[in-house]
């Protein structure tokens, strides 16, 4: 093995992309000490995006006190690249699921307001472009909270501003734009999505993702109805059919909302990040790529890191191995895309609390990689 590329996504709630790459490197070097190991922090538009891009672009981190998903105070950080006047913002930093207790029904009242506060802070710094990574949300408010923080007002039939959360999305009958920050019009917004789901319907935001955020079956149906009604309003008022935009259902409809209220482009997160990192150039001449993410399942082939890495590797005939903490749902599409193999890092069933222990995960990553390298060594 002359050159091995490590491009592994963070294991959410456990280890960062960089920490995982360090553990993988130790496993490689224990067997192939002279191998050239190229470590690339990478993400797909979810958590880890700021880390990956701030490192690549030599930016800095800005921390703000903002409102969390239930208006709880949160210290959230975003990336800032001064020379480009570029902000890299993760929705999960201010509006992510880990920021609140997992309780049934919370998704009906969670808001993206704190994410909007981060955007507003960047705009006041003179930001000219925002990369907004929207994976990992605790919300299903179609981005209403985010836009409220930028000055939009969403009014009910009484002329009052609607309350937080998807539960009140269907009450909106008018949008007041009189107090929108003027900087919004002068800024370019690119929304990085890590899924391709539409705004509503069987594959839409509410039906696919709201149950993961604590919604009951009845609440899922109510949210989906509200999303349909809101999509109709946006089509009638702004002439944009968000249902036709791939990824508009990401983050509980934030993708679609941003396309309307921020004139944002919705882009594959992994494709955008690979472009910024010059990923395809960096993997040239590699003998192997080791990638992975916390869970490999039916969503993996639909815009996640593993599928993005495979796409680039296939064009150069580079074999790819994926590591994961949870491989419960083998995906036939991954096999079709010529993934060499997927390995779970756990040698036996383990409690979730133990599985998320960073020291344990790093040890298991190193162990699995070392064993893989021994196997490769014998076969070389």
């Amino acid at each position: 093995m002359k050159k091995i590329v490590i491009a592994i996504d963070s294991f959410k709630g456990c280890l960062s992309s960089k920490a995982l790459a360090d553990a993988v490197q130790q496993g490689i070097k224990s067997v192939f000490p002279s191998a050239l190991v190229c470590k690339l922090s990478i993400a797909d538009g979810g958590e880890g995006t700021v880390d990956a891009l701030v490192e690549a672009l030599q930016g800095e981190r800005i921390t703000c006190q903002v409102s969390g998903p239930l208006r709880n105070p949160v210290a959230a950080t975003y990336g800032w690249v001064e020379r480009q006047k570029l902000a890299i913002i993760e929705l999960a930093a201010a509006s992510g699921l880990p920021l609140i207790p997992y309780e049934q029904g919370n998704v009906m009242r969670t808001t993206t307001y704190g994410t909007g506060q981060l955007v507003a802070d960047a705009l006041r710094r003179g930001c000219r472009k925002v990369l907004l990574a929207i994976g990992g949300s605790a919300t299903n408010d179609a981005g209403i909270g985010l836009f409220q923080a930028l000055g939009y007002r969403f009014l009910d039939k009484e002329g009052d501003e609607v309350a937080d959360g998807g539960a009140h999305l269907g009450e909106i009958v008018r949008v007041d734009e009189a107090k929108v920050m003027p900087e919004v019009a002068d800024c370019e917004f690119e929304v990085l999505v890590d899924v391709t789901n539409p705004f509503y319907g069987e594959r839409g935001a509410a039906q696919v993702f709201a149950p993961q955020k604590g919604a009951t079956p009845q609440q899922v149906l109510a949210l989906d109805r509200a999303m349909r009604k809101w999509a109709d309003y946006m089509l009638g008022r702004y002439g944009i059919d968000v249902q036709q935009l791939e990824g508009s259902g990401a983050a509980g409809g934030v993708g679609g909302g941003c396309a309307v209220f921020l004139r944002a482009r919705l882009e594959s997160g992994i494709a955008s990040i690979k472009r910024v990192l010059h990923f395809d150039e960096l993997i040239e001449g590699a003998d192997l790529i080791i990638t992975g993410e916390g869970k490999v399942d039916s969503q993996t082939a639909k815009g996640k890191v593993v599928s993005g890495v495979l796409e680039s590797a296939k064009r150069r005939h580079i074999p790819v191995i994926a590591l994961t903490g949870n491989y419960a749902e083998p995906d036939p599409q991954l096999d079709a895309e010529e993934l060499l193999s997927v390995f779970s890092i756990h040698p036996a069933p383990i409690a979730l609390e133990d599985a998320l222990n960073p020291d344990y995960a790093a040890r298991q990553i190193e162990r699995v990689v070392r064993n893989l390298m021994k196997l490769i060594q014998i076969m070389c």
Side-chain angles (χ1 to χ4, degrees):
M1 284 281 157
K2 296 180 180 179
K3 178 179 179 180
I4 301 175
V5 172
I6 305 169
I8 188 166
D9 197 3
S10 61
F11 283 15
K12 294 175 180 60
C14 181
L15 286 170
S16 68
S17 176
K18 183 179 185 303
L20 287 163
D22 289 343
V24 172
Q25 181 181 37
Q26 289 181 25
I28 294 170
K29 289 291 189 177
S30 67
V31 179
F32 293 107
S34 63
L36 171 61
V37 177
C38 179
K39 296 185 291 184
L40 304 177
S41 292
I42 198 164
D44 55 19
E47 293 162 274
T49 299
V50 167
D51 287 340
L53 294 186
V54 165
E55 179 182 340
L57 300 175
Q58 299 181 316
E60 60 181 307
R61 290 169 174 81
I62 306 295
T63 299
C64 304
Q65 291 293 324
V66 299
S67 295
L70 293 173
R71 296 283 182 164
N72 48 309
V74 168
T77 299
Y78 68 91
W80 176 248
V81 184
E82 173 66 29
R83 68 183 181 280
Q84 298 182 27
K85 300 298 181 184
L86 169 68
I88 307 150
I89 298 175
E90 291 179 17
L91 182 143
S95 312
L97 196 56
L99 296 176
I100 56 173
Y102 181 84
E103 291 181 11
Q104 197 171 79
N106 269 350
V107 70
M108 301 299 286
R109 56 197 182 96
T110 48
T111 177
T112 51
Y113 191 85
T115 299
Q117 290 177 297
L118 294 180
V119 174
D121 185 81
L123 292 176
R124 287 191 288 268
R125 289 178 184 275
C127 181
R128 306 297 296 178
K129 181 174 182 177
V130 172
L131 292 179
L132 179 60
I134 63 174
S137 76
T139 58
N140 203 115
D141 72 346
I144 296 303
L146 190 164
F147 311 131
Q148 286 174 323
L150 300 177
Y152 285 95
R153 298 178 68 232
F154 299 90
L155 309 175
D156 62 19
K157 62 182 180 181
E158 307 298 330
D160 297 321
E161 194 151 8
V162 298
D164 290 342
H168 303 282
L169 192 60
E171 299 171 9
I172 301 171
V173 299
R174 187 166 69 87
V175 179
D176 182 355
E177 302 176 12
K179 296 184 179 180
V180 175
M181 294 178 66
E183 294 91 339
V184 170
D186 297 325
C187 186
E188 177 187 354
F189 292 88
E190 183 175 328
V191 175
L192 309 185
V193 299
D194 59 352
V195 296
T196 58
N197 301 70
F199 202 70
Y200 59 79
E202 185 178 350
R203 291 186 55 251
Q207 294 202 38
V208 174
F209 301 114
Q212 302 170 12
K213 305 171 187 180
T216 66
Q218 294 77 18
Q219 289 170 338
V220 167
L221 293 177
L223 287 170
D224 192 60
R225 285 194 298 269
M227 295 287 280
R228 289 173 183 267
K229 182 178 178 182
W230 184 230
D232 289 342
Y233 177 91
M234 290 189 289
L235 176 59
R237 168 77 186 272
Y238 298 100
I240 298 175
D241 185 356
V242 295
Q243 183 67 0
Q244 302 305 314
L245 302 177
E246 191 171 84
S248 61
V254 169
C258 285
V260 174
F261 294 102
L262 301 180
R263 303 180 312 284
R265 299 193 317 277
L266 306 188
E267 300 283 352
S268 160
I270 181 60
S272 294
I273 290 168
K274 285 195 303 179
R275 186 170 60 249
V276 172
L277 296 177
H278 302 289
F279 183 84
D280 287 7
E281 298 169 27
L282 293 172
I283 66 172
E284 284 287 354
D287 299 297
L288 176 69
I289 299 176
I290 298 177
T291 186
E293 50 199 37
K295 185 176 183 180
V296 171
D297 58 13
S298 58
Q299 292 293 320
T300 300
K302 301 177 176 67
K304 299 293 187 177
V305 162
V306 171
S307 63
V309 169
L310 273 170
E311 180 185 41
S312 294
K314 279 195 305 180
R315 292 196 292 268
R316 290 158 180 79
H317 308 289
I318 304 170
V320 178
I321 290 173
L323 306 175
T324 184
N326 185 345
Y327 188 38
E329 302 175 51
D331 191 328
Q333 189 170 346
L334 288 179
D335 293 334
E337 291 182 349
E338 301 172 5
L339 182 65
L340 189 60
S341 191
V342 180
F343 293 90
S344 171
I345 68 169
H346 306 302
I350 185 172
L352 179 61
E353 181 180 354
D354 294 330
L356 292 177
N357 180 285
D359 292 335
Y360 164 84
R363 288 197 306 272
Q364 294 308 315
I365 286 277
E366 183 179 349
R367 177 188 62 82
V368 170
V369 173
R370 183 172 60 250
N371 289 338
L372 283 171
M373 294 300 107
K374 287 180 178 178
L375 181 60
I376 290 171
Q377 187 181 46
I378 291 172
M379 298 176 67
C380 286

